[in-house]
Amino acid sequence: MVEQTFVALKPDTVQRGLIGEILKRFENAGLKISGLKMRWVTKDFAKQHYKSHVKKAFYNGLEKFITEGPVIAMVVEGVCAVETVRKIVGSTEPKTAAPGTIRGDFAHHSYNYTDKKKIAIKNLIHASENKKEAQYEIGLWFTDDEIHKYKTTHEKHTQ
Ligand code: CDP
Ligand code: MG
């Protein structure tokens, strides 16, 4: 049940000075940060990370967005971490993302607006959608020795 997922705080989060604010939401939920680093994504790396989106109409805008500044990459661990993290992140479009979620609280743009302008929807954060994607993305972004094993207080309390 305890699993790892991959999270990236996108360039808009870093540029807006929201790293701490957003990271805090995962810590508040008792999730463990097992790996953490800053990386400036290249176009080649973006194509590997977003391999399922490369041929889509929105990909050019997405590539421009994800390569425009450094991102914070994280491995987040916990019970049903993939699903729990996606719940905290909220749905892809900030306009319809529920209040209380990261995308619902810190952004508001709609697909209608960004698609017309041919830009990416700036939604602050990436999180793996399922276990298979999480496994692929963790392997792409992190080496084994960059992922750490330690006990959080939350784990000690539930033992
Ligand atoms: O990030 P998430 O898994 O929620 O959504 P996705 O469907 O995997 O799309 C990846 C990213 O592409 C989104 O988070 C948006 O930043 C961007 N996107 C976009 O700019 N315009 C769209 N019409 C769809 C996605
Ligand atoms: Mg996705």
Side-chain angles (χ1 to χ4, degrees):
M1 265 187 178
V2 175
E3 62 190 21
Q4 293 180 332
T5 190
F6 175 75
V7 171
L9 307 183
K10 293 175 173 177
D12 51 340
T13 291
V14 177
Q15 289 162 13
R16 289 174 59 189
L18 290 172
I19 297 169
E21 196 80 44
I22 289 178
L23 189 52
K24 192 168 124 190
R25 294 191 170 210
F26 300 115
E27 291 187 314
N28 283 351
L31 290 156
K32 187 198 292 188
I33 308 300
S34 299
L36 183 79
K37 62 182 168 188
M38 183 177 256
R39 177 174 190 155
W40 198 316
V41 172
T42 62
K43 288 182 179 183
D44 279 351
F45 192 77
K47 287 184 182 80
Q48 291 179 62
H49 173 72
Y50 281 125
K51 62 177 183 174
S52 60
H53 294 323
V54 170
K55 294 198 171 79
K56 295 184 184 164
F58 64 82
Y59 183 73
N60 280 348
L62 175 58
E63 187 180 87
K64 195 160 176 265
F65 171 36
I66 204 69
T67 60
E68 78 182 19
V71 306
I72 301 292
M74 291 189 270
V75 177
V76 178
E77 188 179 305
V79 176
C80 304
V82 174
E83 194 185 332
T84 305
V85 166
R86 287 288 294 194
K87 177 195 72 179
I88 294 169
V89 165
S91 55
T92 309
E93 183 190 43
K95 175 177 168 276
T96 47
T101 66
I102 291 165
R103 286 165 168 173
D105 283 355
F106 294 104
H108 72 281
H109 281 177
S110 69
Y111 285 136
N112 191 25
Y113 177 79
T114 56
D115 285 353
K116 261 188 205 141
K117 296 196 79 165
K118 294 192 169 43
I119 57 170
I121 196 147
K122 296 197 169 180
N123 55 6
L124 300 144
I125 184 163
H126 167 84
S128 312
E129 289 180 38
N130 52 54
K131 286 185 198 182
K132 197 170 162 233
E133 198 174 275
Q135 202 181 11
Y136 169 72
E137 291 173 352
I138 290 169
L140 180 67
W141 286 77
F142 284 87
T143 58
D144 286 350
D145 65 356
E146 291 173 325
I147 302 172
H148 301 282
K149 287 188 171 61
Y150 64 94
K151 285 255 179 281
T152 62
T153 307
H154 297 282
E155 285 172 306
K156 286 180 186 163
H157 286 173
T158 52
Q159 266 169 3

